Amino acid sequence: MENQNISLIEKKLNSKKGLLALLSKDIVSSERAVRYVDYEKKLEKLQVELIRLQTWAINHNERIIVIFEGRDAAGKGGAIRRITERINPRHMRIVALSKPTEDEQSQWYFQRYVQQLPKAGEMVFFDRSWYNRAVVEPVNGFCSEEEYQIFMNQVNDFERMIKESGIYLVKIYMSISKKEQEKRFAEIKADPLKQWKMTAVDEKAQELWDDYTTYKKAMFSKTNTETSPWKVIRANRKTEARINAINYILKQIPYDKNLEV
């Protein structure tokens, strides 16, 4: 049995994915390389299912929204990239809205998000969403207490209307520890190719950790409803978090699992 296990490990390491993993600067041991090969195989199978899900949505004019929320550096963008890298780009969008314009600030808060809702046969992935007003904005003083309270009073009705209109809504929260966030920030700052990711809001995230926690708990308490629940995914290990996120999306939408792709 032990020899069989060794042979299997060697086979994985001698594969194309295994050799690439061993050569990666981020993977420093054969054990981690084997884990990465296993992750890549799982990811590939799940990406086939995502293509099947999207094909079903296109064929039946279904509309799907997937929201990714979480602390800064929690891996939201990385998860979305793995989810979308194999599906048809003509029938999906990634929405990561920037700071609202002066005109948008004068509108109903949800208005600019309504404009991003999916059309028939489309999947839309929000890298942060209207839930900015539940956590990021009040923590950083970007909205008033009144604006926050209005949002909290309206958000469940807003989502109820979305779902009643026939749109599938999946809400995922990527959760990391304070220590892991600190580590990721250090890695971003040290990498010239990633330094652009650090914002003024990110710079204060560790200092405001407890404030984020307070508002996050309030968000879950109010908006983790039976009809529109949150899925909290532990994201300290990025690869596991991505696999878990895809699995959750696939389980939430009743697509045809026997559809040929």
Side-chain angles (χ1 to χ4, degrees), residues 13-179:
L13 293 177
N14 285 327
S15 67
K16 182 179 178 181
K17 287 186 173 70
L19 292 172
L20 288 173
L22 285 171
L23 291 171
S24 171
K25 65 180 177 66
D26 297 322
I27 299 177
V28 294
S29 70
S30 58
E31 182 182 348
R32 288 187 66 184
V34 168
R35 283 207 307 266
Y36 187 77
V37 171
D38 290 339
Y39 157 71
E40 285 286 325
K41 287 182 178 179
K42 289 179 184 176
L43 180 62
E44 189 173 317
K45 288 180 180 179
L46 290 173
Q47 286 175 334
V48 171
E49 287 303 310
L50 286 167
I51 293 171
R52 188 168 281 117
L53 166 61
Q54 186 190 42
T55 302
W56 168 82
I58 295 168
N59 291 345
H60 295 274
N61 291 324
E62 299 290 353
R63 294 165 293 162
I64 299 169
I65 297 172
V66 182
I67 287 175
F68 277 87
E69 291 290 340
R71 295 181 190 266
D72 300 312
K76 299 178 293 296
I80 292 171
R81 282 193 297 275
R82 299 315 184 280
I83 292 166
T84 59
E85 65 184 351
R86 303 294 184 188
I87 63 177
N88 189 333
R90 292 188 294 275
H91 295 274
M92 74 87 182
R93 282 182 292 122
I94 299 171
V95 177
L97 297 183
S98 57
K99 178 181 175 181
T101 65
E102 191 171 327
D103 281 344
E104 288 172 335
Q105 289 176 14
S106 69
Q107 298 170 352
W108 178 46
Y109 176 74
F110 292 99
Q111 189 165 334
R112 69 180 189 143
Y113 294 103
V114 170
Q115 295 169 4
Q116 299 296 334
L117 298 184
K119 60 186 179 183
E122 188 176 41
M123 301 175 70
V124 175
F125 299 86
F126 281 88
D127 185 349
R128 290 202 185 281
S129 66
W130 46 87
Y131 280 103
N132 271 335
R133 180 141 294 180
V135 181
V136 175
E137 289 190 14
V139 167
N140 291 278
F142 297 155
C143 70
S144 67
E145 176 64 20
E146 181 183 10
E147 288 171 328
Y148 168 75
Q149 292 297 341
I150 290 172
F151 168 83
M152 294 297 279
N153 288 333
Q154 292 181 346
V155 61
N156 287 343
D157 288 332
F158 177 65
E159 291 179 0
R160 177 181 53 78
M161 288 186 286
I162 286 175
K163 298 195 74 170
E164 285 181 354
S165 73
I167 299 175
Y168 290 97
L169 176 61
V170 180
K171 302 192 302 190
I172 294 174
Y173 186 92
M174 308 286 277
S175 178
I176 57 172
S177 66
K178 187 176 184 180
K179 184 177 180 181

Side-chain angles (χ1 to χ4, degrees), residues 69-71 74 128 131-136 138-139 148 152 173-178 208-224 230 232-234:
E69 291 290 340
R71 295 181 190 266
R128 290 202 185 281
Y131 280 103
N132 271 335
R133 180 141 294 180
V135 181
V136 175
V139 167
Y148 168 75
M152 294 297 279
Y173 186 92
M174 308 286 277
S175 178
I176 57 172
S177 66
K178 187 176 184 180
L208 297 172
W209 180 272
D210 291 341
D211 293 331
Y212 275 101
T213 299
T214 298
Y215 278 96
K216 178 190 75 173
K217 288 180 178 178
M219 178 185 76
F220 287 150
S221 177
K222 179 74 173 181
T223 67
N224 185 35
W230 282 101
V232 177
I233 292 180
R234 305 300 175 189

Side-chain angles (χ1 to χ4, degrees), residues 68-79 81 127-128 136 173-189 194 197-199 201-206 209 212 233-239 241-242:
F68 277 87
E69 291 290 340
R71 295 181 190 266
D72 300 312
K76 299 178 293 296
R81 282 193 297 275
D127 185 349
R128 290 202 185 281
V136 175
Y173 186 92
M174 308 286 277
S175 178
I176 57 172
S177 66
K178 187 176 184 180
K179 184 177 180 181
E180 180 65 19
Q181 186 188 61
E182 181 181 24
K183 174 189 168 188
R184 293 184 187 181
F185 280 159
E187 290 171 352
I188 290 170
K189 290 178 180 179
K194 295 181 179 180
K197 293 184 176 183
M198 286 296 294
T199 67
V201 171
D202 295 336
E203 292 286 357
K204 297 193 297 180
Q206 285 273 294
W209 180 272
Y212 275 101
I233 292 180
R234 305 300 175 189
N236 277 4
R237 182 170 287 178
K238 293 179 182 179
T239 52
R242 292 164 186 167

